[in-house]
Amino acid sequence: MTETSVSTHILDTSIGRPAEGVPVELSVRNGIDALWAPHGVSKTDADGRCKDLPALPEGTTHVRLDFAVEQYFTTQKISAEAQQDAPRVRDSGAFFPEVAITFAVQPGEHYHVPLLLNPFGYSVYRGS
């Protein structure tokens, strides 16, 4: 049987570039009522990708990817004020300091879940 696996990448849509250095935590559970179990950690590379997330354990039904994006945005050279249509005054830190994505999985499938990110919003989808 083929292993169930997950991959992800982050594109900072405010600058049209990959988001490098973002910590990502992978958690799993084996049922809607089960507790989350940490399963792996990674950090996005220069291409915004996490290439070293472990295969999922047998019986996994749900996966959660936690992206710690606050430090990424607070260290960017381009300020929010310089971005098109950005509010002139920001709250302290990132508006979304963390992004948590939860999704269901089936055995033997690969799930690529990209995060399109900017300081004031994000979207995700199942990629290929």
Side-chain angles (χ1 to χ4, degrees):
M1 178 191 283
T2 304
E3 288 184 320
T4 307
S5 59
V6 172
S7 60
T8 189
H9 75 269
I10 305 174
L11 177 65
D12 181 342
T13 59
S14 66
I15 58 173
R17 303 235 183 255
E20 181 178 3
V22 176
V24 179
E25 184 176 327
L26 170 67
S27 299
V28 298
R29 69 181 180 194
N30 60 355
I32 194 78
D33 295 326
L35 296 176
W36 288 104
H39 186 63
V41 295
S42 187
K43 189 177 273 196
T44 56
D45 63 14
D47 290 326
R49 298 182 181 278
C50 291
K51 297 179 179 174
D52 55 354
L53 292 172
L56 304 180
E58 189 173 328
T60 298
T61 60
H62 297 89
V63 171
R64 184 176 67 209
L65 293 172
D66 290 297
F67 300 89
V69 300
E70 183 170 30
Q71 184 176 3
Y72 169 78
F73 280 123
T74 58
T75 59
Q76 286 303 294
K77 295 175 184 164
I78 298 175
S79 70
E81 289 78 12
Q83 298 169 18
Q84 182 179 1
D85 299 328
R88 291 286 171 229
V89 180
R90 287 182 66 185
D91 297 331
S92 61
F95 185 69
F96 293 108
E98 301 170 1
V99 175
I101 308 303
T102 303
F103 53 98
V105 297
Q106 297 292 322
E109 293 280 321
H110 175 71
Y111 296 86
H112 183 65
V113 184
L115 173 62
L116 304 178
L117 182 66
N118 70 65
F120 304 104
Y122 61 89
S123 64
V124 297
Y125 60 97
R126 182 176 179 184
S128 58

